[in-house]
């Protein structure tokens, strides 16, 4: 067996294993941190962004903020997995919706002939996240100039030291073409690759549809553990026993604080929100429109209600807000027993629709 890491040593995981002469890619994430040095996209004309002074190196492309941060005024670029020979990849296994951000670069490559597998919620939520990026750019009233990325000075941001690995962000057409080639799978569904390798996804307990993978070649067992959690949340509980006694254990996205409980941080966030609102302020929470944040909405509403702040509205602003709110209710079978049991009452697993109807939550595609 051979293991090759093609990730970027952050949370953008991409590992290729060769087992029984079958090449399997485990996750396919891009370094989304590479999006930080670009001038923000906005659906509105914002004078303070338009009027930023130019940087002397590239006056038409580089803008200087009042804090002397340098921003790049061009289309977004990502750092995809490095040195991947797509022609040899037989299958790609995706663990969760945050680990497929580089998938369009690989799957739409003319030399790619492999198969892609992920759980149904992972496919849907992952696609929403990528579409959101495209829609943010489409809404921008000012078109960004095309730039030869090799001309961007390395002092602007560390990613510009690796200019050859920068890829322009994909289009909506690229995303559709990519996701049309993904085969949705269920937990514990056995996948055979050429009669040589068997793959099975099992619950990871992280987000809706998140999975760890067990890969077997005869009696040889590989366990792949990505973002996982044994904490109580809305998803199916993490299956630990099935991962036991492997010949090889591959782990990615490890927590830097494995003993840290998020409960204290959630309480701290809640206290900050409540104290700010009581003082007449507003709270802005930059986050993804889908994923863990939707599970926290009910928790936030409940705590605001307990503090006699039931009249405080929550606004979700995202190009994919409508779909992001609806999806968790669609995938009832992927939720824990408490949430899943509500389907048979019948009742929606989450209270998002009810909270929208009662005007506690409002969702918009863009800020107006």
């Amino acid at each position: 067996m051979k293991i090759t890491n093609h990730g970027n040593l952050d949370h953008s995981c991409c590992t290729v294993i060769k087992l029984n002469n079958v090449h399997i890619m485990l996750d396919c994430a891009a370094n989304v941190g590479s999006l930080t040095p670009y001038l923000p996209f906005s659906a509105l004309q914002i004078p303070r962004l338009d009027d930023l002074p130019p940087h002397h190196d590239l006056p038409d492309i580089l803008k200087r903020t009042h804090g002397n941060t340098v921003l790049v005024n061009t289309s977004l670029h990502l750092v995809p997995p490095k040195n991947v020979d797509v022609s040899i990849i037989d299958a790609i296994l995706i663990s969760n919706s945050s680990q497929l951000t580089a998938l369009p670069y690989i799957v739409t490559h003319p030399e790619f002939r492999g198969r892609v597998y992920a759980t149904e919620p992972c496919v849907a939520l992952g696609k929403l996240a990528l579409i959101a990026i495209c829609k943010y750019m489409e809404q921008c009233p000012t078109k960004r100039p095309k730039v030869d990325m090799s001309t961007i000075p390395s002092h602007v941001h560390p990613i510009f030291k690796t200019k050859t690995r920068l890829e322009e962000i994909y289009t909506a057409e690229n995303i559709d073409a990519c996701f049309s080639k993904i085969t949705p799978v269920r937990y514990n569904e056995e996948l055979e690759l050429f009669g040589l390798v068997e793959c099975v996804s099992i619950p990871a307990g992280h987000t809706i549809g998140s999975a760890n993978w067990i890969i077997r070649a005869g009696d040889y067992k590989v366990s792949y553990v990505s973002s996982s959690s044994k904490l109580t949340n809305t998803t199916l509980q993490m299956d630990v026993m099935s991962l036991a006694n492997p010949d090889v254990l591959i782990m990615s996205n490890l927590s830097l604080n494995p003993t840290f409980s998020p409960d204290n941080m959630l309480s701290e966030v809640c206290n900050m929100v409540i104290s700010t609102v009581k003082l007449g302020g507003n709270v802005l929470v930059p986050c993804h429109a889908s994923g863990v944040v939707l599970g926290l909405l009910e928790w936030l509403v409940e705590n605001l209600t307990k503090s006699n702040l039931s009249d405080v509205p929550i606004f979700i602003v995202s190009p994919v807000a409508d779909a992001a709110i609806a999806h968790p209710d669609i995938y009832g079978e992927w939720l824990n027993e408490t949430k899943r049991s509500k389907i048979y009452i019948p009742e929606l697993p989450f209270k998002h629709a009810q909270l929208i109807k009662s005007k506690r939550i409002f969702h918009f595609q863009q800020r107006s």
Side-chain angles (χ1 to χ4, degrees):
M1 178 180 171
K2 181 181 179 182
I3 304 175
T4 307
N5 173 49
H6 295 279
N8 292 289
L9 300 179
D10 50 8
H11 288 288
S12 52
C13 306
C14 182
T15 302
V16 174
I17 65 171
K18 182 182 179 183
L19 183 62
N20 253 13
N21 212 34
V22 177
H23 292 82
I24 303 172
M25 178 179 285
L26 305 173
D27 283 329
C28 188
N31 178 5
V32 293
S34 61
L35 299 178
T36 55
Y38 295 92
L39 195 68
F41 283 83
S42 174
L44 304 175
Q45 204 82 33
I46 302 179
R48 64 188 178 87
L49 288 180
D50 297 336
D51 298 338
L52 286 175
H55 190 276
H56 58 81
D57 282 343
L58 288 171
D60 295 332
I61 304 301
L62 302 181
K63 303 295 181 181
R64 194 162 37 83
T65 69
H66 298 298
N68 285 325
T69 300
V70 180
L71 299 175
V72 184
N73 183 30
T74 186
S75 57
L76 299 178
H77 287 66
L78 284 171
V79 180
K82 56 190 178 186
N83 306 321
V84 177
D85 182 358
V86 299
S87 65
I88 66 170
I89 304 299
D90 298 302
I92 301 176
L93 308 179
I94 301 297
S95 62
N96 62 74
S97 57
S98 67
Q99 295 302 316
L100 44 66
T101 44
L103 205 56
Y105 297 126
I106 303 296
V107 174
T108 60
H109 194 285
E111 294 183 8
F112 179 74
R113 297 290 183 270
R115 309 168 189 174
V116 187
Y117 299 100
T119 66
E120 189 177 349
C122 176
V123 174
L125 297 175
K127 186 174 183 179
L128 282 179
L130 302 195
I131 288 175
I133 298 175
C134 291
K135 286 188 175 291
Y136 278 125
M137 293 194 296
E138 290 172 1
Q139 291 174 358
C140 186
T142 306
K143 296 302 178 185
R144 299 288 176 92
K146 295 284 185 180
V147 178
D148 178 358
M149 301 307 288
S150 64
T151 63
I152 306 296
S154 59
H155 68 76
V156 173
H157 192 276
I159 66 163
F160 297 114
K161 296 177 183 178
T162 57
K163 300 178 180 65
T164 56
R165 291 168 50 209
L166 287 171
E167 294 280 353
E168 188 167 8
I169 200 76
Y170 20 73
T171 63
E173 291 74 20
N174 296 145
I175 295 172
D176 287 337
C178 167
F179 279 78
S180 68
K181 298 179 181 179
I182 302 178
T183 301
V185 298
R186 295 181 179 276
Y187 288 143
N188 299 308
E189 178 182 344
E190 296 181 356
L191 307 172
E192 266 202 10
L193 302 179
F194 314 109
L196 299 171
V197 175
E198 182 184 278
C199 306
V200 177
S201 66
I202 58 175
H206 176 57
T207 53
I208 300 175
S210 62
N212 292 319
W213 289 87
I214 299 169
I215 305 159
R216 294 183 183 273
D219 294 330
Y220 196 86
K221 177 181 176 181
V222 178
S223 293
Y224 175 59
V225 181
S226 185
S227 301
S228 302
S229 176
K230 291 191 67 180
L231 299 174
T232 303
N233 57 27
T234 59
T235 68
L236 285 175
Q237 188 174 5
M238 178 185 178
D239 181 352
V240 178
M241 295 304 296
S242 297
L243 296 166
N245 302 316
D247 295 281
V248 175
L249 174 63
I250 302 173
M251 306 184 78
S252 66
N253 266 349
L254 297 178
S255 172
L256 297 177
N257 299 288
T259 60
F260 177 77
S261 171
D263 291 346
N264 293 335
M265 181 176 288
L266 293 178
S267 297
E268 186 179 341
V269 169
C270 183
N271 291 335
M272 291 178 66
V273 169
I274 291 171
S275 61
T276 302
V277 170
K278 283 184 174 179
L279 290 171
N282 300 302
V283 180
L284 182 65
V285 183
C287 61
H288 294 291
S290 60
V292 177
V293 66
L294 292 179
L296 300 180
L297 277 178
E298 291 181 352
W299 170 85
L300 183 57
V301 169
E302 181 181 341
N303 280 274
L304 286 170
T305 302
K306 287 179 180 177
S307 300
N308 297 318
L309 294 170
S310 57
D311 58 337
V312 175
I314 297 176
F315 299 93
I316 302 174
V317 184
S318 167
V320 296
D322 297 2
I325 291 173
H327 270 80
D329 287 324
I330 297 172
Y331 298 115
E333 65 183 284
W334 304 86
L335 303 175
N336 64 23
E337 187 175 348
T338 302
K339 288 289 186 184
R340 196 166 62 248
S341 63
K342 293 184 178 182
I343 300 173
Y344 305 105
I345 296 178
E347 182 181 329
L348 292 175
F350 292 89
K351 298 178 181 177
H352 302 145
Q354 179 185 336
L355 292 170
I356 291 171
K357 189 175 180 180
S358 63
K359 300 189 183 301
R360 292 295 302 277
I361 294 179
F362 300 84
H363 53 98
F364 303 93
Q365 291 195 342
Q366 65 182 44
R367 186 167 65 91
S368 58

